[in-house]
C-alpha cells in the first residue's frame, strides 16, 4: 500500500464499490418493499399498526394478551371478507378512537409530527453546512499532515494545539 | 426500622443542605476549611443513605408488613432473591436506591479529588448536593418509603408479578440508575465552570472519564432492558418504542453526541457553548425521563403512579433548564471561540455530522414521546405515537449515522487528502458493496434494510481496518510483532481504540436489529395435546401441560417437543404463571438461543381440562444473539476508552501519532 | 439596553457590535426561557390529566349494532330491535372481581326500571360459557345475558377490560360510558334523564 502505485487502484476500487453498491440497492429497490402474501402476514401488517388496548404500549401484532389475539382473529376474518386494511383500521378507530392507531395519520394537524423532523433536519444540515463553510474559509491551506512534519514553522492549527497542550499540563487531571 | 430509615434520610437531607451551603460560601469567601468540610460531608451522606437503604432491606427481609412499602411489594412466599429486589421494584424503594447511587457518586467525586482539588470543585459539589437534596426531599415527602400502615396485614401482597418473573430484574434497574445518575457529575462540573466563571476546558478533562463511565452503565442498562423485554415479556421482541424505553434512550443519544463533540473542544478549542448545552441537555433529559415515568404522565408497564411527585419533578426540571441554559446564555459572550476548521474533509466535520444526526434522533424521539401530550393539550384529541412512527422517522437518520460511523474513523483530524481517504476507504467500501451485491443476488426486499446491512458491513470493515492499521503502525515503529503490540498500542491511545471497538459493537448490533426485524417470522397456532405443527423448519409438538406449585405462584408449563429434519433437538417450555391476587396470567416465554437464530415460544392460553389444547405463538428470530454480543462489545470498547492509564503522556500526541500513522498508512 | 454603550466606546462600529451582541444574548435568553416555559406548561398539563382515562369516541354516536345469542342458548337479541327503549349494555366476566362489586347495582337497576321499558343486557367478555353460567347462578340476575364469540361486539364498543357499561338512548345513540364498576347514582341519573325525554 505504498503511495507510489497507490493513486490509481484505490480510486478505481472505490468507484467500483460505489457503482456496485448503487446497482445492488437499485435492484433491491426495484423489487419493492416486502409485501405479505400469506393471510398471517397480512394480519400481522395490519395488527402492527394498531395499539393493543390492554397492554397500551405494544402493538396488537406483538401483544401476547388474549384481547390482542382476538383482535388479530377479527382482523383475519375481515381480511378474508375482503375488507381493506384501511377499512379495518377505521372500524377499530370507531370503537376505540384514534388513540388506537400507533402512528399519527399523515394529514391534518397530525402531519406536524411528520413534518417537524424533516424541517428540523434540513435546517440543521443547512446550518452545519454553512458553519463548515464559514469555519474553513480563510483557513491557511495547511499542508497535508504527512509532509508537514519536517516543515520549519508550525502551521497555525498546530500552534493552537501546542498552546492548548501546554496549558493542559498545568491543570491536567491527576491520575 | 422505619424510624431509623426516616431519621437517616432526614439527617442526610440536613447534610446535603449543609454541603451545598458550605461549598458555596467556602468558594465565594475562599475558606478552604469550609470547602473541605463540605467535601468530607459526602462520606457521611453516603453512610446515612446507605443506612436508610439497609433499614428498608432489613424490613423487607424480616417481613415487617406494618410498613406500607413492604406490605405492598413483598410477601412471605416471595423467594429471598426477589425480596431483595423488592427494594427497587416500586417507586418509593427505587428512589431510595436512586439516592444511594447519587450519594455514591458524590462520595466518589469527593474521594477522587481528595488531594488535587480543581478550583471548580466546591461549585461542582454544591450542584451535586443540590441535586441530592432534591431527591432526599422527594423520599422524605411525597414518596416516603417508610410510611406505616395503621393495621399491619399478616402477609404482604408481593412484588408485581411481572417484576418477579425474571432474575434480570436484579441488574437492569441498577445499571440504568448508575448510568442516569452518573451524568450528574459532568453536569455539576459544567455548571461549576459557568458558576465560578472559570470557563477553561478543565471541566471537560476532569469529567471525561465520569461521563464515559455513566455512558457505559447506561449502555449496559439499555441492553439489559432490551434483554429483559425479550426474555420476560413474551412478545418476541426487544424494543417496543415504549415511552419509558424512549426516555432512557434520549440521554444516551445526547451523551453519545457529547462524547464526540468534547473531543473537538479538546483538540480545537471550539464548540464550548455547544458542549455545555449538551451536558445540561443530557442531565435535563435524565430528569425528564424520571419525571415522565414517575410523574404519572404516562401509562406504561413501568410508570409508577404517584400524584404529588409530578409537580416536584416538574419544578426540578424547570430549575435545571433555567439555571443551566440561563447560565450558558449569560456567559455565552465569554465562551465565544474562534471556530476554525482546516478542511471540510476531516474528522472534525464527521463529528459535526455525528452531532447533528444524533441530536436529530434525540429530537425525533422526544417529539414522538411528547406529541400526544401536545396534541391533547391543543385539540383535546387523544392519540398515540408508537413504533411505526419512530421506525419511519429514525431509520433514515440511523442509516446516516452508520455511514458516518464508518467514514469518521477513516478521516484524519484536521485535513484529509482525497487520495489518502480513497486509499483508506477503498477496502471497507468494497466489503460493503460485496455485502449489498450478495443481498441483492439473494433476492432481498426492502431498501432501507439492505442499505443498513451494507453500511454496517462497511462500518465493521472500516473500524477493524483502522484498528489493524493503528496497531501495525505501532508495531513497526517499536519493532514488535503484531499481537504483542496490541496492549501497548491500545494503552497509547485508549480513546481511539476504545472508540473503534464501540463502533464495531454498534455495527454488530445494527446487523442484529436489521436482520431480526426484516427476516423474523412468527406464527400463532392452537394445538391439541399430541398435535404438531411445522414452522420455520421446526416440527413442534404439544406434549401436554404440567402444573408446578411454587410457594409464590402456580406455573402452568406447556411442554413442546422440537425436532428438526426428523431429529429431536430438545424442547421449549413456555408457561403461564398464576400469582395470588392477580386475575391475569403472566406468561413466561421459552427461548432456544442460537448463534444464527432463536426459536422463541410463548403460550397465550390453555383451553379445556388440564390444558387439553393450548394456543402458542412461535417466533423465528434470526440474529438476535448478536444484539447482546454487540452490546457487550460496545461496553468493552467503552471500558477500553475509560480505563485509567498507568501514566499519562504530558502532551496528548494527536499530531505526532497522526503523522506516524499517515506515514505508514 | 446599555445607556453608556455608545458614549463609552469611541469607535461607533465596536459599539454597534457590542450592542447587537448584547441584543443577541437577550434574544437567546428569552428564547431559552420561553421554550422552558412552553415545555413546563405542556408537562403541567400532562400532570393534570389521568393517562389511563381514554375517552370513548362512541359517546353521542350511534351504538354499533349486534345480534347475539343468549348464554343459555335459547334465543338471540338484536340491539336495533330495541330502538325506542333505553338500553344498558354491561360487559362482564366471571373472573373479574369488580364485576361482582357492581352486580347488585345492575340488579337494582333492572328491578327498578324494567317496568319502564329499560333493558339491561349483560355481555360476557373473555369467559368460558360454563364459568359464566356458574357465576350467574351464584349471583342471580334476571336480565338477558349474551355471549359474544370472538369478542366482536366488545371490540366494536372499544372495550379495554371488564366491567364496562354503556347506556344507549332510545334513538340508538351511546349516551354514557363507565369504565370499571358502575355507580348506582350515576347510572340511574342517566336513565332517568333518558326516560324523561321520551
Amino acid at each position: 500500500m505504498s503511495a507510489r502505485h497507490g493513486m490509481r487502484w484505490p480510486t478505481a476500487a472505490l468507484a467500483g464499490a460505489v457503482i456496485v453498491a448503487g446497482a445492488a440497492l437499485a435492484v433491491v429497490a426495484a423489487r419493492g418493499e416486502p409485501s405479505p402474501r400469506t393471510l398471517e402476514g397480512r394480519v400481522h401488517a395490519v395488527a402492527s399498526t394498531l395499539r393493543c388496548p390492554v397492554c397500551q404500549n405494544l402493538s396488537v401484532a406483538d401483544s401476547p394478551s388474549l384481547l390482542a389475539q382476538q383482535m388479530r382473529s377479527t382482523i383475519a376474518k375481515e381480511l378474508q371478507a375482503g375488507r381493506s386494511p384501511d377499512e379495518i383500521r377505521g372500524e377499530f378507530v370507531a370503537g376505540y378512537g384514534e388513540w388506537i392507531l400507533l402512528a399519527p395519520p399523515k394529514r391534518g394537524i397530525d402531519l406536524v409530527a411528520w413534518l417537524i423532523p424533516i424541517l428540523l433536519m434540513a435546517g440543521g444540515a443547512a446550518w452545519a453546512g454553512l458553519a463548515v463553510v464559514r469555519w474553513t474559509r480563510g483557513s491557511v491551506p495547511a499542508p497535508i499532515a504527512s509532509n508537514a512534519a519536517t516543515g520549519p514553522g508550525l502551521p497555525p492549527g498546530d500552534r493552537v494545539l501546542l498552546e492548548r497542550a501546554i496549558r493542559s499540563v498545568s491543570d491536567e487531571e491527576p491520575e | 426500622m422505619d424510624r431509623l430509615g426516616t431519621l437517616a434520610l432526614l439527617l442526610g437531607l440536613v447534610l446535603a443542605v449543609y454541603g451545598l451551603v458550605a461549598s458555596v460560601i467556602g468558594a465565594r469567601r475562599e475558606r478552604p476549611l469550609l470547602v473541605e468540610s463540605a467535601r468530607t460531608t459526602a462520606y457521611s451522606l453516603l453512610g446515612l443513605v446507605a443506612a436508610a437503604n439497609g433499614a428498608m432491606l432489613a424490613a423487607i427481609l424480616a417481613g415487617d408488613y406494618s410498613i406500607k412499602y413492604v406490605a405492598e411489594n413483598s410477601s412471605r412466599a416471595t423467594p429471598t432473591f426477589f425480596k431483595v429486589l423488592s427494594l427497587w421494584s416500586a417507586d418509593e424503594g427505587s428512589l431510595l436506591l436512586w439516592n444511594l447511587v447519587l450519594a455514591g457518586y458524590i462520595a466518589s467525586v469527593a474521594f477522587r479529588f481528595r488531594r488535587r482539588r480543581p478550583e471548580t470543585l466546591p461549585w461542582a459539589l454544591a450542584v451535586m448536593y443540590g441535586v441530592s437534596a432534591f431527591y432526599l426531599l422527594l423520599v422524605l415527602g411525597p414518596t416516603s418509603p417508610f410510611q406505616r400502615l395503621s393495621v399491619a396485614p399478616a402477609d404482604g401482597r408481593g412484588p408485581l408479578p411481572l417484576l418477579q418473573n425474571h432474575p434480570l430484574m436484579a441488574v437492569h434497574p441498577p445499571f440504568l440508575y448508575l448510568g442516569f445518575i452518573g451524568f450528574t457529575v459532568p453536569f455539576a462540573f459544567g455548571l461549576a465552570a459557568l458558576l465560578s466563571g472559570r470557563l477553561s476546558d478543565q471541566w471537560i478533562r476532569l469529567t471525561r472519564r465520569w461521563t464515559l463511565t455513566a455512558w457505559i452503565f447506561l449502555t449496559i442498562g439499555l441492553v439489559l432492558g432490551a434483554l429483559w423485554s425479550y426474555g420476560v415479556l413474551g412478545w418476541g421482541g426487544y424494543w417496543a418504542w415504549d415511552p419509558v424505553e424512549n426516555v432512557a434512550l434520549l440521554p444516551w443519544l445526547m451523551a453519545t453526541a457529547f462524547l464526540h463533540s468534547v473531543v473537538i473542544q479538546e483538540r480545537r478549542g471550539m464548540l464550548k457553548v455547544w458542549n455545555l448545552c449538551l451536558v445540561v441537555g443530557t442531565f435535563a433529559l435524565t430528569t425528564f425521563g424520571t419525571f415522565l415515568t414517575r410523574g404519572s404522565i404516562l401509562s406504561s408497564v413501568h410508570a409508577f403512579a404517584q400524584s404529588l411527585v409530578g409537580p416536584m419533578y416538574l419544578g426540578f426540571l424547570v430549575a435545571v433548564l433555567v439555571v443551566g441554559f440561563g447560565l450558558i446564555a449569560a456567559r455565552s459572550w465569554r465562551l465565544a471561540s474562534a471556530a476554525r476548521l482546516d478542511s471540510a474533509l476531516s474528522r472534525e466535520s464527521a463529528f459535526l455530522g455525528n452531532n447533528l444526526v444524533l441530536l436529530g434522533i434525540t429530537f425525533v424521539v422526544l417529539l414522538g414521546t411528547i406529541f400526544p401530550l401536545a396534541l391533547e393539550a391543543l385539540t383535546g384529541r387523544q392519540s398515540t405515537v408508537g413504533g411505526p412512527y419512530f421506525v419511519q422517522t429514525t431509520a433514515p437518520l440511523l442509516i446516516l449515522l452508520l455511514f458516518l460511523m464508518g467514514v469518521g474513523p477513516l478521516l484524519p483530524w484536521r485535513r484529509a487528502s482525497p487520495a489518502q481517504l480513497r486509499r483508506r476507504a477503498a477496502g471497507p467500501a468494497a466489503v460493503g458493496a460485496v455485502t449489498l451485491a450478495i443481498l441483492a443476488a439473494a433476492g432481498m426486499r426492502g431498501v432501507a434494510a439492505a442499505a443498513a446491512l451494507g453500511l454496517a458491513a462497511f462500518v465493521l470493515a472500516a473500524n477493524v481496518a483502522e484498528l489493524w492499521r493503528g496497531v501495525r503502525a505501532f508495531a513497526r515503529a517499536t519493532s514488535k510483532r503484531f499481537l504483542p503490540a496490541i496492549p501497548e498500542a491500545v494503552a497509547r491511545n485508549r480513546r481511539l481504540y476504545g472508540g473503534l471497538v464501540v463502533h464495531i459493537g454498534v455495527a454488530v448490533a445494527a446487523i442484529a436489529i436489521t436482520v431480526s426485524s426484516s427476516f423474523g417470522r412468527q406464527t400463532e397456532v392452537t394445538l391439541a395435546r399430541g398435535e404438531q405443527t411445522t414452522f420455520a423448519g421446526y416440527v413442534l409438538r404439544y406434549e401436554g401441560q404440567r402444573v408446578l406449585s411454587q410457594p409464590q405462584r402456580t406455573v402452568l408449563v406447556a411442554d413442546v417437543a422440537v425436532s428438526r429434519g426428523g431429529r429431536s433437538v430438545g424442547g421449549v417450555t413456555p408457561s403461564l404463571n398464576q400469582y395470588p391476587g392477580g386475575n391475569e396470567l403472566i406468561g413466561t416465554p421459552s427461548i432456544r438461543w442460537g448463534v444464527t437464530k432463536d426459536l422463541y415460544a410463548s403460550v397465550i392460553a390453555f383451553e379445556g381440562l388440564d390444558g387439553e389444547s393450548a394456543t402458542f405463538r412461535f417466533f423465528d428470530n434470526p440474529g438476535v444473539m448478536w444484539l447482546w454480543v454487540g452490546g457487550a462489545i460496545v461496553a468493552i470498547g467503552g471500558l477500553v476508552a475509560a480505563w485509567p492509564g498507568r501514566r499519562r503522556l504530558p502532551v496528548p500526541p494527536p499530531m505526532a501519532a497522526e503523522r506516524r500513522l499517515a506515514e505508514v498508512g | 439596553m446599555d445607556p453608556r454603550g455608545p458614549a463609552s466606546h469611541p469607535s461607533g462600529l465596536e459599539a454597534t457590535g457590542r450592542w447587537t451582541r448584547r441584543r443577541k444574548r437577550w434574544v437567546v435568553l428569552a428564547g431559552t426561557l420561553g421554550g422552558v416555559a412552553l415545555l413546563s406548561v405542556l408537562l403541567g398539563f400532562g400532570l393534570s390529566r389521568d393517562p389511563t382515562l381514554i375517552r370513548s369516541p362512541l359517546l353521542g354516536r350511534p351504538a354499533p349494532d349486534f345480534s347475539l345469542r343468549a348464554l343459555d342458548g335459547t334465543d338471540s337479541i338484536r340491539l336495533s330491535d330495541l330502538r325506542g327503549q333505553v338500553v344498558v349494555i354491561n360487559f362482564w366476566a366471571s373472573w373479574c372481581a369488580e364485576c361482582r362489586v357492581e352486580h347488585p347495582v345492575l340488579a337494582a337497576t333492572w328491578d327498578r326500571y324494567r317496568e319502564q321499558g329499560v333493558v339491561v343486557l349483560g355481555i360476557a367478555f373473555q369467559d368460558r360459557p360454563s364459568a359464566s353460567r356458574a357465576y350467574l347462578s351464584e349471583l342471580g340476575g334476571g336480565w338477558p345475558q349474551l355471549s359474544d364469540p370472538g369478542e366482536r361486539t366488545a371490540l366494536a364498543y372499544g372495550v379495554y377490560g371488564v366491567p364496562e357499561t354503556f347506556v344507549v338512548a332510545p334513538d340508538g345513540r351511546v349516551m354514557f360510558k363507565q369504565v370499571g364498576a358502575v355507580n348506582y347514582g350515576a347510572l340511574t341519573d342517566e336513565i332517568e334523564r333518558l326516560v324523561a325525554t321520551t
Side-chain angles (χ1 to χ4, degrees):
Chain A
M1 249 208 277
S2 86
R4 249 170 288 124
H5 75 279
M7 282 310 286
R8 213 171 285 255
W9 77 262
T11 312
L14 194 61
V18 170
I19 291 168
V20 169
L25 274 181
V27 168
V28 174
R31 285 195 193 112
E33 291 300 300
S35 62
R37 280 166 306 233
T38 58
L39 179 67
E40 199 159 14
R42 285 163 63 211
V43 170
H44 184 82
V46 176
S48 57
T49 62
L50 296 172
R51 179 172 177 168
C52 157
V54 283
C55 18
Q56 303 207 335
N57 283 305
L58 282 179
S59 75
V60 171
D62 289 329
S63 168
S65 77
L66 213 55
L67 188 64
Q69 190 215 348
Q70 269 142 355
M71 287 171 81
R72 287 194 293 270
S73 68
T74 305
I75 294 169
K77 275 177 202 145
E78 304 264 300
L79 280 173
Q80 278 171 320
R83 302 280 184 102
S84 77
D86 278 332
E87 285 171 340
I88 298 170
R89 271 190 284 268
E91 281 168 35
F92 281 107
V93 169
Y96 288 92
E98 276 189 349
W99 178 89
I100 201 153
L101 296 176
L102 266 177
K106 287 176 185 160
R107 60 180 147 73
I109 193 168
D110 294 285
L111 199 59
V112 172
W114 297 95
L115 283 183
I116 291 182
I118 297 171
L119 291 177
L120 201 87
M121 280 318 285
W127 178 83
L130 277 178
V132 169
V133 167
R134 206 155 33 109
W135 292 347
T136 50
R137 195 170 45 201
S139 77
V140 182
I144 305 296
S146 53
N147 43 30
T150 50
L154 280 171
D158 283 8
R159 181 162 298 123
V160 173
L161 273 164
L162 189 63
E163 282 161 11
R164 297 171 49 69
I166 292 167
R167 239 184 304 133
S168 75
V169 181
S170 47
D171 55 9
E172 190 60 57
E173 128 186 54
E175 285 304 323
Chain B
M1 273 302 155
D2 55 323
R3 293 227 185 95
L4 184 72
T6 312
L7 187 67
L9 291 174
L10 206 60
L11 282 175
L13 179 63
V14 171
L15 281 191
V17 172
Y18 169 76
L20 168 67
V21 173
S23 36
V24 169
I25 294 176
R28 293 199 66 149
R29 305 250 170 94
E30 291 181 21
R31 302 259 174 82
L33 268 178
L34 211 52
V35 173
E36 177 60 11
S37 78
R39 189 185 68 82
T40 47
T41 296
Y43 306 133
S44 326
L45 177 63
L46 176 61
L48 284 168
V49 180
N53 275 270
M56 179 54 88
L57 199 58
I60 292 171
L61 290 176
D64 181 355
Y65 300 113
S66 63
I67 296 175
K68 190 163 164 256
Y69 184 82
V70 182
E72 283 175 359
N73 296 290
S74 181
S75 69
R76 283 179 207 288
T78 309
T80 310
F81 177 74
F82 288 103
K83 271 187 183 165
V84 175
L85 303 197
S86 309
L87 186 58
W88 56 78
S89 64
D91 197 14
E92 296 90 345
S94 67
L95 263 177
L96 268 184
L97 181 69
W98 186 284
N99 269 296
L100 180 64
V101 173
L102 182 56
Y105 270 113
I106 301 176
S108 312
V109 167
F111 182 73
R112 177 76 179 73
F113 298 110
R114 65 198 176 281
R115 279 195 281 273
R116 276 251 358 236
R117 310 217 180 111
E119 287 146 323
T120 51
L121 179 66
W123 294 102
L125 283 174
V127 173
M128 287 189 289
Y129 281 127
V131 175
S132 176
F134 166 73
Y135 282 108
L136 284 167
L137 207 59
L138 215 52
V139 281
L140 278 166
T143 56
S144 173
F146 292 107
Q147 212 178 318
R148 273 189 166 284
L149 291 170
S150 45
V151 183
D155 196 1
R157 273 210 311 239
L160 273 179
L162 211 51
L163 302 183
Q164 57 171 317
N165 230 356
H166 202 281
L168 261 179
M169 203 50 208
V171 283
H172 161 55
F175 270 103
L176 217 51
Y177 288 6
L178 281 166
F180 260 52
I181 302 164
F183 291 118
T184 311
V185 180
F187 168 74
F189 277 94
L191 219 55
L194 287 166
L195 284 166
S196 65
R198 293 176 197 282
L199 297 165
S200 73
D201 303 344
Q202 195 199 26
W203 72 274
I204 280 185
R205 274 191 301 282
L206 289 176
T207 59
R208 187 180 81 78
R209 209 162 275 149
W210 295 91
T211 314
L212 205 48
T213 308
W215 183 87
I216 296 168
F217 279 130
L218 187 54
T219 307
I220 297 174
L222 284 170
V223 173
L224 287 176
L227 188 57
W228 180 77
S229 183
Y230 187 66
V232 176
L233 296 185
W235 60 286
Y238 40 79
W239 189 265
W241 294 103
D242 179 300
V244 173
E245 291 169 336
N246 293 346
V247 296
L249 182 66
L250 286 171
W252 187 88
L253 289 167
M254 201 176 258
T256 310
F258 178 69
L259 284 176
H260 286 90
S261 68
V262 287
V263 186
I264 302 189
Q265 181 172 349
E266 281 180 55
R267 285 179 168 263
R268 313 302 308 261
M270 290 159 54
L271 303 180
K272 288 178 180 168
V273 174
W274 179 249
N275 283 326
L276 282 164
C277 286
L278 287 185
V279 83
V280 171
T282 304
F283 182 74
L285 282 175
T286 61
T287 312
F288 176 73
T290 42
F291 166 59
L292 232 61
T293 45
R294 291 164 189 268
S296 73
I297 282 206
L298 299 173
S299 51
S300 146
V301 201
H302 304 251
F304 305 95
Q306 185 60 251
S307 55
L308 263 165
V309 193
M312 281 185 76
Y313 265 115
L314 184 57
F316 183 62
L317 177 63
V318 168
V320 166
L321 289 171
V322 167
V323 170
F325 288 116
L327 272 173
I328 294 174
R331 300 255 196 238
S332 57
W333 58 283
R334 282 186 55 193
L335 287 160
S337 52
R340 172 61 58 87
L341 286 179
D342 291 312
S343 163
L345 200 61
S346 61
R347 193 174 292 175
E348 284 90 333
S349 338
F351 273 34
L352 278 182
N354 143 302
N355 263 246
L356 180 68
V357 176
L358 278 170
L359 280 179
I361 301 171
T362 312
F363 185 81
V364 168
V365 175
L366 185 63
L367 175 75
T369 309
I370 61 173
F371 184 76
L373 208 59
L375 193 66
E376 195 181 337
L378 288 175
T379 67
R381 261 176 46 213
Q382 289 172 313
S383 65
T384 299
V385 173
Y389 172 83
F390 291 111
V391 169
Q392 282 181 54
T393 49
T394 59
L397 294 172
L398 290 168
I399 287 173
L400 201 58
L401 191 64
L402 266 182
F403 173 72
L404 289 170
M405 270 169 50
V407 171
L410 297 176
L411 289 164
W413 289 105
R414 297 168 42 78
R415 172 182 291 273
S417 81
Q420 187 186 24
L421 177 63
R422 279 200 292 267
R423 202 162 54 229
R424 287 189 187 179
V431 172
V434 168
T435 309
L436 272 175
I438 292 171
L439 290 174
M444 185 178 174
R445 281 165 177 273
V447 192
L453 288 176
L455 279 173
F458 166 68
V459 173
L460 265 183
N463 285 280
V464 169
E466 284 304 294
L467 262 179
W468 182 75
R469 211 167 57 82
V471 173
R472 198 191 52 168
F474 180 81
R476 283 201 185 161
T478 55
S479 331
K480 278 193 175 146
R481 268 179 307 161
F482 188 83
L483 280 179
I486 291 177
E488 221 178 309
V490 169
R492 300 271 300 200
N493 198 348
R494 294 185 176 280
R495 287 170 90 169
L496 172 70
Y497 292 104
L500 293 175
V501 173
V502 168
H503 284 183
I504 291 170
V506 174
V508 169
I511 292 173
I513 292 166
T514 314
V515 166
S516 65
S517 56
S518 14
F519 303 119
R521 273 181 292 177
Q522 56 172 296
T523 189
E524 188 169 317
V525 61
T526 303
L527 296 175
R529 201 181 291 131
E531 196 184 348
Q532 64 183 37
T533 184
T534 53
F535 168 68
Y538 298 101
V539 176
L540 305 155
R541 193 174 69 242
Y542 174 43
E543 304 277 18
Q545 186 196 57
R546 246 181 321 135
V547 181
L548 305 176
S549 289
Q550 292 174 358
Q552 83 279 23
R553 63 180 184 185
T554 309
V555 186
L556 309 174
V557 183
D559 281 313
V560 178
V562 182
S563 58
R564 223 175 149 178
R567 263 184 315 148
S568 164
V569 291
V572 281
T573 53
S575 59
L576 289 177
N577 310 302
Q578 171 98 59
Y579 286 87
N583 302 322
E584 237 180 311
L585 293 166
I586 305 288
T588 300
S590 171
I591 307 167
R592 254 179 62 89
W593 307 87
V595 175
T596 54
K597 59 182 194 169
D598 296 348
L599 173 66
Y600 188 111
S602 55
V603 57
I604 300 178
F606 290 105
E607 293 101 29
L609 212 61
D610 300 330
E612 221 169 83
S613 70
T615 303
F616 295 95
R617 302 187 81 194
F618 295 112
F619 299 83
D620 175 41
N621 286 336
V624 175
M625 174 73 83
W626 293 93
L627 180 58
W628 323 127
V629 173
I633 296 175
V634 171
I636 291 168
L639 274 177
V640 168
W643 202 261
R646 257 167 311 180
R647 99 199 137 87
R648 202 178 178 113
L649 296 171
V651 180
M655 303 308 299
E658 281 296 333
R659 239 172 251 142
R660 209 159 40 225
L661 291 182
E663 275 160 21
V664 275
Chain C
M1 277 181 204
D2 187 352
R4 297 178 308 126
S8 58
H9 300 287
S11 149
L13 196 72
E14 197 187 323
T16 327
R18 183 154 301 190
W19 194 79
T20 46
R21 200 165 61 192
R22 240 157 211 272
R23 197 169 58 175
K24 201 172 150 194
R25 215 166 104 202
W26 282 108
V27 169
V28 169
L29 204 61
T32 312
L33 292 181
V36 172
L38 208 66
L39 184 75
S40 51
V41 167
L42 186 61
L43 295 176
F45 162 77
L47 282 177
S48 69
R49 79 192 176 127
D50 179 0
T52 56
L53 206 80
I54 294 134
R55 285 186 301 278
S56 172
L58 287 175
L59 289 176
R61 297 262 178 82
D65 196 14
F66 55 80
S67 172
L68 294 175
R69 195 171 284 279
L71 258 182
D72 50 24
T74 48
D75 46 10
S76 60
I77 289 179
R78 183 185 292 275
L79 179 66
S80 47
D81 293 345
L82 300 173
R83 189 61 59 84
Q85 287 172 285
V86 175
V87 184
V88 176
I89 302 169
N90 172 249
F91 291 92
W92 63 274
S94 64
W95 45 263
C96 142
E98 257 189 296
C99 300
R100 285 177 183 269
V101 175
E102 72 165 7
H103 196 86
V105 172
L106 293 167
T109 308
W110 171 246
D111 287 343
R112 182 166 157 195
Y113 291 105
R114 61 189 296 190
E115 301 300 322
Q116 298 173 45
V118 174
V119 182
V120 177
L121 297 176
I123 299 180
F125 178 79
Q126 292 188 344
D127 209 4
R128 282 202 309 273
S130 57
S132 302
R133 281 193 289 271
Y135 172 90
L136 288 173
S137 60
E138 179 194 339
L139 293 181
W143 60 95
Q145 300 289 349
L146 310 172
S147 76
D148 179 21
E151 272 65 43
R152 300 290 296 257
T153 309
L155 290 178
Y157 276 80
V159 171
Y160 297 98
V162 277
E164 280 190 22
T165 305
F166 296 81
V167 178
V168 181
D171 63 357
R173 286 185 305 148
V174 178
M175 299 309 290
F176 174 91
K177 180 187 178 185
Q178 172 73 48
V179 178
V182 71
N183 173 284
Y184 184 72
L187 182 62
T188 50
D189 282 354
E190 186 63 31
I191 292 172
E192 295 279 5
R193 204 173 61 77
L194 290 174
V195 168
T197 55
T198 48

